[in-house]
């Protein structure tokens, strides 16, 4: 039976358009407000940790607080998953690509089970293991905590060990071992199924933990394996192929924006988040000015010039939406000021409303790192620059001189293959551009725009290249309206470029094709 989210069930159950609209909207609004309040509460908790001096605490207390911090981060991810289930709206704002430090992750796991018979490999750099893994931290936490919890439950109070190793193919293997009685072949065959635990073993629980861990492992393109016996206990291992954990760019290698000499206005009513954002902005070299609501922000904007504004959406007296509307009024001195909205509202409809009033980017609360803020600021600045640029250039064809240079070191067969590969890649881009306004897959659109920038530049189609650059920026900022318009223009240009390259191919190789 296919699962349908409650919002979809509400839509299906209602018979009249008015009733359908009312019921669906009610579910959506309740789910959105709940998620908003959870995110705001979590932002205050995380902000409190950021601002507190924990060094004065003893080691055990720091371990407990670190465990609470990790649980809060995990709660946010679960809240987002629950909102997706409730509404069916999966188009949430995506955070930056995550990369986790293996050593820190294992040390946090160790602290989480402090006082229990759990031994965790700390994976020091001298171990030869990779120290940066490009996998989502919260997913790894859910997998390992479910496996460890299951081992503690079935281990009869005996020690549980968590180790990490590399196999001959450089796959990472996280192994969780207990010294319990093991499982029968029949029980083992059902353990990864939904509610697959043996009901006759007398232990509490439903068996969902292993099912969750197995599903998450598959989502990571990894797998779980189990070895069990009545004498040596059970070992459940998570296998992550190298192409999974090594892909991407290290979070620690990403550079923050250099905002030296720039003035940033922070509009936020939470004292805790004011302090967190101010510290992050100042770490990038900027001068920060704080306003606690939209009215105070307008006073600050009238008194001095700013290079960027970070604006909360939900505030007393004047909301962030009304503030941005005021800033974008025709003739206003702040009409071109880059604005990054910082909000706990994450549904697509909320996001679109924020963009419609004039925001250049959106960052979802809680802001978990200065890197996340830096990337949000970069998106807002790029989007504002694009909005201030001249009208879209005319779509142009390839430059024969560029193609001559491209083929200069190719023999006839290589040249034919190269142009045909260019055409095939452009056709793939065209397919994405054609369906993008309907699918609204911004990651796919960004990838296609990036490829189009390279391909059009290679053959000297400068106008199309600039359009592709604008499209890439719009997709990165998730601007639906601007993205749809640019998609249409880029698609026309891409199809025209394909035809021009096909004609060029016939002209050059007509007798050899």
């Amino acid at each position: 039976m296919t699962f349908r989210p409650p919002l979809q069930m509400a839509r299906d159950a209602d018979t009249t358009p008015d009733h359908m609209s009312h019921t669906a909207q009610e579910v959506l609004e309740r789910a959105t407000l709940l998620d908003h309040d959870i995110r705001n509460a979590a932002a205050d908790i995380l902000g409190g940790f950021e601002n507190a001096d924990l060094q004065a605490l003893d080691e055990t207390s720091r371990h407990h607080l670190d465990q609470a911090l990790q649980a809060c981060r995990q709660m946010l991810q679960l809240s987002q998953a629950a909102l997706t289930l409730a509404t069916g709206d999966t188009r949430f704002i995506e955070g930056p690509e995550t990369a986790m430090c293996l050593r820190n992750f294992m040390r946090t796991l160790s602290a989480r089970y402090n006082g229990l018979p759990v031994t965790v490999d700390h994976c020091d750099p001298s171990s030869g293991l990779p120290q940066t893994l490009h996998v989502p931290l919260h997913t790894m936490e859910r997998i390992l905590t479910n496996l460890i919890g299951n081992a503690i439950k079935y281990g009869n109070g005996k020690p549980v060990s968590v180790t990490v190793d590399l196999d001959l193919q450089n796959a990472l293997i996280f192994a969780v071992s207990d010294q319990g009685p093991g499982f029968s072949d029949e029980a083992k065959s059902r353990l990864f199924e939904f509610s697959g635990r043996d009901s006759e073993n007398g232990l509490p629980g439903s068996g969902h933990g292993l099912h969750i861990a197995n599903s998450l492992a598959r989502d990571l393109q990894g797998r779980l394996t189990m070895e069990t016996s009545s004498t040596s206990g059970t070992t459940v291992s998570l296998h992550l192929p190298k192409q999974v954990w090594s892909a991407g760019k290290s979070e620690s290698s990403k550079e923050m924006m250099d905002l030296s000499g720039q003035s940033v206005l922070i509009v936020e009513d939470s004292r805790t988040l004011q302090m967190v954002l101010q510290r992050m902005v100042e770490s990038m070299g900027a001068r920060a000015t704080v306003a606690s609501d939209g009215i105070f922000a307008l006073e600050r904007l009238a008194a001095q010039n700013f290079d960027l504004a970070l604006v909360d959406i939900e505030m007393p007296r004047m909301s962030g939406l009304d503030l941005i509307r005021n800033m974008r009024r025709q003739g206003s001195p702040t009409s071109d000021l880059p604005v990054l909205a910082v909000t706990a509202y994450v549904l697509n409809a909320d996001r679109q409303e924020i963009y419609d009033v004039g925001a250049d980017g959106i960052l979802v609360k809680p802001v978990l790192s200065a890197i996340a803020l830096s990337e949000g600021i970069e998106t807002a600045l790029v989007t504002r620059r694009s909005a201030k640029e001249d009208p879209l250039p005319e779509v142009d064809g390839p430059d024969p001189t560029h193609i001559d240079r491209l083929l200069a070191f190719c023999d006839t067969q290589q040249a034919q293959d190269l142009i045909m590969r260019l055409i095939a890649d452009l056709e793939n881009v065209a397919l994405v551009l054609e369906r993008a306004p309907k699918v609204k897959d911004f990651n796919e659109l960004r990838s296609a725009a990036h490829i189009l920038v390279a391909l059009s530049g290679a053959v000297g189609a400068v106008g199309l290249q600039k359009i592709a650059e604008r499209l890439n920026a719009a997709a990165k900022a998730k601007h639906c309206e601007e993205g749809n318009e640019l998609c249409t223009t880029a698609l026309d240009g891409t199809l025209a470029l394909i035809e021009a390259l096909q004609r060029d191919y016939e002209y050059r190789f007509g007798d050899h094709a």
Side-chain angles (χ1 to χ4, degrees), residues 99 132 134 248-256 371:
T132 301
H134 300 274
K249 181 180 179 181
S250 168
E251 183 79 13
S252 61
S253 69
K254 295 179 181 178
E255 295 184 2
M256 290 195 296
I371 289 292

Side-chain angles (χ1 to χ4, degrees), residues 89-334:
D89 189 341
T90 61
R91 295 166 293 181
F92 291 102
I93 300 173
E94 300 174 358
E97 178 187 277
T98 54
M100 53 174 267
C101 172
L102 177 61
R103 184 187 184 194
N104 289 345
F105 173 67
M106 299 301 284
R107 287 168 67 90
T108 300
L109 268 185
S110 180
R112 184 168 189 155
Y113 296 100
N114 186 40
L116 293 173
V118 179
T119 303
V120 179
D121 185 352
H122 280 188
C123 302
D124 291 325
S126 60
S127 65
L129 294 168
Q131 290 302 298
T132 301
L133 309 185
H134 300 274
V135 290
L137 173 62
H138 72 278
T139 302
M140 291 295 293
E141 287 175 342
R142 290 184 67 190
I143 294 174
L144 269 297
T145 53
N146 274 297
L147 296 184
I148 295 170
N150 198 72
I152 293 172
K153 182 188 299 182
Y154 286 93
N156 291 340
K158 296 179 180 178
V160 172
S161 66
V162 184
T163 60
V164 187
D165 203 355
L166 283 171
D167 68 10
L168 295 177
Q169 285 75 42
N170 285 323
L172 268 177
I173 302 174
F174 293 78
V176 179
S177 303
D178 64 54
Q179 299 177 28
F183 299 93
S184 67
D185 290 340
E186 181 182 359
K188 180 180 174 182
S189 68
R190 301 195 308 270
L191 280 177
F192 293 147
E193 296 177 2
F194 183 76
S195 298
R197 184 180 62 82
D198 183 359
S199 60
E200 298 180 357
N201 64 16
L203 293 174
S206 60
H208 290 165
L210 286 179
H211 174 73
I212 291 171
N214 191 47
S215 299
L216 292 172
R218 290 180 177 178
D219 290 343
L220 288 180
Q221 299 178 26
R223 61 189 176 91
L224 288 188
T225 61
M226 175 181 286
E227 297 177 5
T228 184
S229 75
S230 58
T231 56
S232 59
T234 300
T235 297
V236 182
S237 300
L238 167 65
H239 300 253
L240 292 179
K242 183 178 180 181
Q243 62 267 29
V244 173
W245 61 259
S246 65
K249 181 180 179 181
S250 168
E251 183 79 13
S252 61
S253 69
K254 295 179 181 178
E255 295 184 2
M256 290 195 296
M257 291 283 294
D258 182 3
L259 301 179
S260 300
Q262 299 195 40
S263 295
V264 178
L265 176 63
I266 299 171
V267 190
E268 169 63 62
D269 61 323
S270 165
R271 290 285 300 277
T272 301
L273 294 184
Q274 288 175 4
M275 295 173 65
V276 171
L277 292 173
Q278 182 172 353
R279 285 173 56 186
M280 289 182 177
V281 165
E282 289 175 347
S283 73
M284 300 178 209
R287 299 183 301 274
T289 300
V290 175
S292 58
D293 62 36
I295 299 295
F296 284 129
L298 288 177
E299 294 174 359
R300 301 285 190 277
L301 289 166
Q304 70 178 96
N305 295 324
F306 292 94
D307 300 292
L308 170 71
L310 309 181
V311 178
D312 182 24
I313 296 301
E314 189 76 9
M315 294 183 294
R317 297 208 300 169
M318 177 183 285
S319 71
L321 292 176
D322 288 335
L323 171 61
I324 298 172
R325 286 192 188 97
N326 272 276
M327 294 172 64
R328 297 301 188 226
R329 286 200 316 267
Q330 187 173 5
S332 169
T334 59

